Amino acid sequence: MGKEFKISREVELSATPEQVFAAVTTGTAGWMFPIEVPPAAGDGGGPGAPTVTANPPGEFSVRVEGPDGWFNALEYLIEARAGGTAVLRYVHAGIFADDWDSQYDGVSLHTDFYLHTLGQYLKYFDARPVTYLAAAGPAASARPDAMDQLRTALGLGADAAPGDQVRLDLPGGEPVDAVVDHLTPQFVGLRGSDALYRFFGRNAFGGTVDLAHHVFAVGVDQEKAGDAWQSWLESVYA
């Protein structure tokens, strides 16, 4: 049996509760990754199926249970604030079966990055059609210094900081200007005029350096663009 965890965050968002509710239910491809939410609230219909609570626009939660008391639960509580803004109170609770400290650190830091990206999505790209691209780095990107290589490939020096302007060389396309919107030892976030570019240093948690991009341009060939970014990521660590 594992050990229970609970991660809580509160963030202010430049969006109405209705916009936030849509983003965390049907719009996850725009800021996290695509999730197929059960169409109706209630028991998902069998062992291991999610139980959903949905009271728009103020509450949404999903809970999955498994053997021996295991569970994983997400809760979003959304409250309106003045000026068409909202506060999101987010709670992720569950059971980690192995390596509790490492898993907790990984999920906690990922939570901060995802919620930051949610804010960027709502402020700049809300409700726009999105193409989600993801690629996993090669085994060489599991090295401790792998994020240093990635930042160099992105043109980010040791003194880079959020707010800096960079030029991003897109695989098979023209360079685009972007702004650094998130920068930590484990994560890099860049925002272009038509995309949020996200880079994950999962080497810090026993994985590889991966990427997940949210592209809001029209007419994107998902397979072609995904293959191009996969090749780019592999070239960084060749």
Side-chain angles (χ1 to χ4, degrees):
M1 180 63 182
K3 179 181 175 183
E4 188 169 342
F5 73 91
K6 185 176 182 179
I7 295 169
S8 302
R9 297 289 188 271
E10 181 175 311
V11 293
E12 296 186 11
L13 298 167
S14 299
T16 65
E18 290 78 8
Q19 290 172 302
V20 178
F21 187 88
V24 303
T25 54
T26 60
T28 59
W31 60 276
M32 188 169 56
F33 44 80
I35 296 175
E36 185 175 346
V37 176
D43 189 337
T51 298
V52 178
T53 300
N55 295 306
E59 179 184 9
F60 179 74
S61 65
V62 180
R63 181 184 177 95
V64 179
E65 297 184 355
D68 301 322
W70 180 90
F71 74 97
N72 188 61
L74 303 175
E75 180 181 53
Y76 302 85
L77 298 177
I78 306 161
E79 180 182 329
R81 289 292 173 88
T85 63
V87 167
L88 169 64
R89 295 180 178 88
Y90 170 86
V91 178
H92 183 189
I95 301 287
F96 288 143
D98 302 300
D99 195 7
W100 193 93
D101 289 338
S102 179
Q103 289 196 64
Y104 182 88
D105 289 345
V107 173
S108 181
L109 291 170
H110 274 75
T111 295
D112 292 333
F113 192 28
Y114 284 132
L115 291 179
H116 169 80
T117 303
L118 171 61
Q120 295 288 293
Y121 165 71
L122 288 167
K123 185 174 182 178
Y124 296 101
F125 304 108
D126 180 42
R128 285 176 56 174
V130 60
T131 300
Y132 177 78
L133 308 175
S141 69
R143 296 193 299 259
D145 64 346
M147 282 300 285
D148 294 335
Q149 289 179 256
L150 180 88
R151 283 188 286 269
T152 298
L154 294 173
L156 299 175
D159 59 347
D164 288 354
Q165 296 287 331
V166 299
R167 174 151 285 195
L168 185 61
D169 291 323
L170 298 181
E174 296 294 325
V176 300
D177 293 317
V179 62
V180 179
D181 67 84
H182 189 85
L183 187 62
T184 70
Q186 300 85 12
F187 304 103
V188 176
L190 305 176
R191 187 185 71 248
S193 59
D194 288 309
L196 292 169
Y197 304 99
R198 276 32 207 156
F199 302 89
F200 297 80
R202 293 178 174 136
N203 58 317
F205 316 111
T208 56
V209 173
D210 306 329
L211 63 81
H213 299 337
H214 315 276
V215 183
F216 304 95
V218 177
V220 177
D221 185 323
Q222 185 178 38
E223 182 176 1
K224 181 179 179 180
D227 289 346
W229 275 109
Q230 182 71 61
S231 297
W232 179 89
L233 192 56
E234 291 173 358
S235 74
V236 171
Y237 299 102

